[in-house]
Amino acid sequence: MIAPDFKEEYREFLDAVKINLTTQMRSQNRIATGFAVNTLRIVANDKLDAELRGVGYFKYLQTGVGAQPKKIGKRFINFLKEWIKAKRIEPRPNEKIKQLAFRIAQSIVYKGTAIKRGQKGISISQAIKDEKPEFLKEVGAKMRIDFVKGLKIKLK
């Protein structure tokens, strides 16, 4: 029996999730330059059926960053540098982007981001939930499930 191939359905599903996230960001006025949305891409190859990828700080558009008295790490600074470049924020005269990122990080560590202070963020899980019924319908249209002498899934 040939194993079902759902690569096209995976890609279509992830494309629908991507559109859903873009719509959420637009409705929440979270698109300034469009950089975060433009980095969302579907990657598929021989080893991977399909995966939705984006800029590293994308997850913080969902969760925010809370105020915490902890050290500011290099990874956090690098995400902020990406964000600063995307927003085209100019450092003060004689200030480097890394220094500006550190100042912003200090503020976040002290106050948290707006999402952590109660502002609504995007919901990746809601985007998946919204698009799942159509995905299951498309996958279900390609297969038949029999239960005679055990559960069997066959291509239609």
Side-chain angles (χ1 to χ4, degrees), residues 46-62:
D46 292 339
K47 296 179 183 177
L48 183 67
D49 286 338
E51 181 177 272
L52 183 62
R53 295 182 183 170
V55 70
Y57 65 81
F58 201 87
K59 68 179 177 181
Y60 297 117
L61 297 174
Q62 173 173 295

Side-chain angles (χ1 to χ4, degrees), residues 1 4 6 139-147 151-156:
M1 183 173 95
F6 300 114
V139 168
K142 285 181 89 174
M143 56 191 224
R144 186 178 80 225
I145 299 174
D146 289 334
F147 191 75
L151 184 63
K152 293 181 184 174
I153 299 174
K154 300 177 182 179
L155 292 176
K156 284 188 176 177

Side-chain angles (χ1 to χ4, degrees), residues 27-41:
S27 71
Q28 295 175 18
N29 284 330
R30 295 206 175 276
I31 298 178
T33 65
F35 180 78
V37 166
N38 291 336
T39 65
L40 285 175
R41 67 201 180 284

Side-chain angles (χ1 to χ4, degrees), residues 37-97:
V37 166
N38 291 336
T39 65
L40 285 175
R41 67 201 180 284
I42 298 165
V43 177
N45 56 43
D46 292 339
K47 296 179 183 177
L48 183 67
D49 286 338
E51 181 177 272
L52 183 62
R53 295 182 183 170
V55 70
Y57 65 81
F58 201 87
K59 68 179 177 181
Y60 297 117
L61 297 174
Q62 173 173 295
T63 63
V65 178
Q68 305 169 38
K70 65 179 193 178
K71 92 175 196 183
I72 298 168
K74 186 176 182 176
R75 187 170 181 217
F76 187 39
I77 294 294
N78 288 338
F79 283 146
L80 285 172
K81 284 168 52 179
E82 281 182 51
W83 179 79
I84 289 165
K85 289 174 187 170
K87 295 274 191 181
R88 297 183 182 106
I89 300 171
E90 291 295 322
R92 294 175 181 162
N94 300 324
E95 182 181 47
K96 296 180 183 200
I97 288 180

Side-chain angles (χ1 to χ4, degrees), residues 3-19 41-53 128 131-132 134-140 142-143 153 155:
D5 180 5
F6 300 114
K7 288 181 182 181
E8 190 59 35
E9 286 80 5
Y10 294 151
R11 287 186 202 105
E12 289 172 7
F13 170 65
L14 291 177
D15 192 49
V17 169
K18 176 183 169 181
I19 292 166
R41 67 201 180 284
I42 298 165
V43 177
N45 56 43
D46 292 339
K47 296 179 183 177
L48 183 67
D49 286 338
E51 181 177 272
L52 183 62
R53 295 182 183 170
I128 291 168
E131 305 307 327
K132 190 167 55 172
E134 185 62 28
F135 169 70
L136 293 175
K137 187 170 118 184
E138 289 174 15
V139 168
K142 285 181 89 174
M143 56 191 224
I153 299 174
L155 292 176

